[in-house]
Amino acid sequence: MGALKLAISVETHSPEYAEALENKHLAFDVVRSSRRWVYLTEYLPAPVAEATARFLQKAILPELFLEHLDTAYSDIPDEDRLAIFQDNLDYLQNDHFTRGTRALIQPSLEEQKGLSIEGWMRFRGRRILDNLVAQLAREGLKSLRLERAYQQFRSLRLHAVEHLVVEGRGAGLRIKDPGGAELFREFLDGYLDPRLQIDREDLAIILIRALAPGRVELVDVHPAFRRRVEAALARSRG
């Protein structure tokens, strides 16, 4: 088996791929053409697949993430996009993610004795990684906006709120005073963003945490939302 080789074709980021192989202590030769580099290593599919996964995490995935943030969320400030990116850098290097990517790559190495990273990205990897960065961006912006909403309403703790009425479900949820006057309409409407999958129930929980009312009356709400309200009140009073 020692005479067998694996061939990895790398179209861009060649120095980073060499570094990935070296970090796994894998010997390699490089054959260069005008368009690409081909790395020839010993027939060690699992270590080479892990090195390739590490390369994707370091050199390719951050670029995909930034590209997605800049295109899908071009309407939010640059500093917010950067904050979301930086908050997720650790996850992009996560060992669990490395193992998952290695599992996707290794069968091709075993069956074909090689891999074109560009080809793998085009026909399989790009779809998978695009879905991943879309989820990271969505959850990152969701967390950012919910945290800001919470901070915005922390000052309301200075004003005692004894009784709130929360009525309805999903998009029909309303917050009222005991006399039936609607409250916080602008907040519940203004923070909605269909890309983030934040709903009115999420925002109502933020308000209840911030206001810590003495009593919350729940009318025709989802049972799961009722449990979330009870948990939020227990935390705010604890």
Side-chain angles (χ1 to χ4, degrees), residues 16 19 61 63 206:
E16 288 90 341
E19 180 182 351
L61 194 54
E63 292 183 358
I206 291 292

Side-chain angles (χ1 to χ4, degrees), residues 168-183:
R169 303 183 176 199
L173 182 142
R174 298 289 183 270
I175 297 178
K176 302 178 180 180
D177 67 17
E182 192 169 346
L183 304 174

Side-chain angles (χ1 to χ4, degrees), residues 38-212:
V38 177
Y39 290 82
L40 302 173
T41 75
E42 292 184 49
Y43 187 84
L44 299 169
V48 174
E50 182 171 341
T52 304
R54 295 283 185 189
F55 164 75
L56 290 170
Q57 286 174 257
K58 180 178 179 180
I60 304 297
L61 194 54
E63 292 183 358
L64 293 180
F65 193 22
L66 283 174
E67 177 185 329
H68 178 79
L69 286 169
D70 288 343
T71 55
Y73 298 98
S74 60
D75 57 319
I76 72 170
D78 292 347
E79 57 268 24
D80 288 351
R81 297 200 301 272
L82 182 60
I84 294 166
F85 175 75
Q86 291 176 332
D87 287 346
N88 282 280
L89 279 180
D90 287 343
Y91 179 76
L92 297 180
Q93 311 300 323
N94 187 280
D95 288 339
H96 176 74
F97 176 70
T98 304
R99 290 192 293 271
T101 309
R102 184 188 69 187
L104 294 172
I105 294 171
Q106 189 168 333
S108 296
L109 294 178
E110 294 175 347
E111 296 167 10
Q112 304 168 24
K113 308 300 187 291
L115 179 80
S116 165
I117 291 178
E118 183 181 53
W120 184 83
M121 286 291 295
R122 179 184 302 141
F123 295 110
R124 187 171 189 184
R126 180 73 191 229
R127 175 177 55 83
I128 295 169
L129 298 182
D130 278 350
N131 289 338
L132 172 67
V133 299
Q135 179 181 352
L136 290 177
R138 183 170 56 250
E139 293 301 318
L141 188 53
K142 179 178 178 178
S143 296
L144 181 68
R145 289 195 171 172
L146 287 175
E147 179 61 26
R148 287 181 179 172
Y150 175 63
Q151 294 297 332
Q152 177 182 348
F153 280 86
R154 284 181 66 185
S155 61
L156 294 177
R157 286 182 180 274
L158 301 175
H159 307 282
V161 177
E162 291 302 321
H163 188 176
L164 285 179
V165 178
V166 182
E167 181 178 341
R169 303 183 176 199
L173 182 142
R174 298 289 183 270
I175 297 178
K176 302 178 180 180
D177 67 17
E182 192 169 346
L183 304 174
F184 309 116
R185 179 189 301 169
E186 293 80 8
F187 176 73
L188 293 176
D189 288 340
Y191 274 88
L192 294 180
D193 186 329
R195 298 171 303 190
L196 306 183
Q197 300 175 359
I198 300 176
D199 59 29
R200 298 177 78 89
E201 293 183 356
D202 293 323
L203 298 172
I205 292 294
I206 291 292
L207 280 170
I208 290 168
R209 286 174 54 195
L211 296 168

Side-chain angles (χ1 to χ4, degrees), residues 157 205 209 212 227-238:
R157 286 182 180 274
I205 292 294
R209 286 174 54 195
R227 292 192 291 270
R228 292 177 66 192
V229 170
E230 292 169 352
L233 287 172
R235 285 196 298 269
S236 65
R237 295 166 182 168

